[in-house]
Amino acid sequence: MASHRRALSPAANDVPAHVTVLYPFVRPSLIGAGTIAEIEQALRGISAFECAFTQVKWFGDEVVWLEPKPDAHFRALTRAVCERFPGHEPYAGEHPETVPHLTVADSRTGDPDSKRRAAPDIAAALPIHATIDTVRLVAGTDEHGPWHTVAEFPLPT
């Protein structure tokens, strides 16, 4: 899966494979100690968990993604951070029912035919089992430079 992600999505080199908790978030220039403390408070009481990425799915013809099962823990993470940062709706409110997912390639990366050809190879490597024990705050902009990790928040086991 990693080789397909790198081939289809050059930005994959900047940001590791992930399931987004909340995007868009606080502008990178405004992230400070207070933001970090608020995230720590939001995540308090949330423990590490196991999941498996079980299926290749699509949003339209452009976004190929992996479905995590169960997804309830990811939904709980999003809910907790949104409650702490009410001015930041997931995907700016464009998708009222946020679907936890790991993007392999999106509308900005890879042509549709390459994505369709890669999907069966990716599916053959599934399921991928993972322990989710860290939430990472990644900041950057596509227009103004690379994304980078600002802070990591370990989830207790």
Side-chain angles (χ1 to χ4, degrees):
M1 204 272 306
S3 63
H4 289 294
R5 203 168 161 264
R6 280 190 301 275
L8 294 169
S9 181
N13 296 323
D14 293 337
V15 180
H18 65 281
V19 175
T20 299
V21 172
L22 181 58
Y23 175 85
F25 191 57
V26 175
R27 290 182 40 199
S29 61
L30 300 177
I31 294 172
T35 306
I36 303 299
E38 290 292 321
I39 295 170
E40 287 172 340
Q41 288 298 315
L43 299 176
R44 196 161 275 182
I46 298 177
S47 298
F49 58 93
E50 304 289 324
C51 76
F53 296 92
T54 59
Q55 280 189 302
V56 174
K57 292 205 167 184
W58 294 81
F59 292 130
D61 292 330
E62 292 291 328
V63 180
V64 60
W65 54 281
L66 302 182
E67 178 180 41
K69 291 287 184 175
D71 70 2
H73 297 290
F74 293 107
R75 291 178 186 278
L77 285 168
T78 297
R79 202 169 30 257
V81 175
C82 285
E83 286 173 4
R84 208 67 170 178
F85 294 88
H88 300 278
E89 290 182 86
Y91 303 101
E94 289 181 36
H95 309 287
E97 180 59 31
T98 302
V99 176
H101 63 282
L102 189 158
T103 300
V104 176
D106 64 20
S107 58
R108 300 167 296 169
T109 58
D111 63 90
D113 290 335
S114 296
K115 293 176 205 174
R116 277 190 285 282
R117 285 191 303 274
D121 290 342
I122 296 166
L126 301 179
I128 297 171
H129 297 275
T131 300
I132 310 303
D133 59 5
T134 303
V135 172
R136 181 178 290 154
L137 174 58
V138 178
T141 62
D142 292 331
E143 300 86 27
H144 301 292
W147 291 74
H148 64 281
T149 298
V150 175
E152 291 186 348
F153 306 91
L155 300 175
T157 54

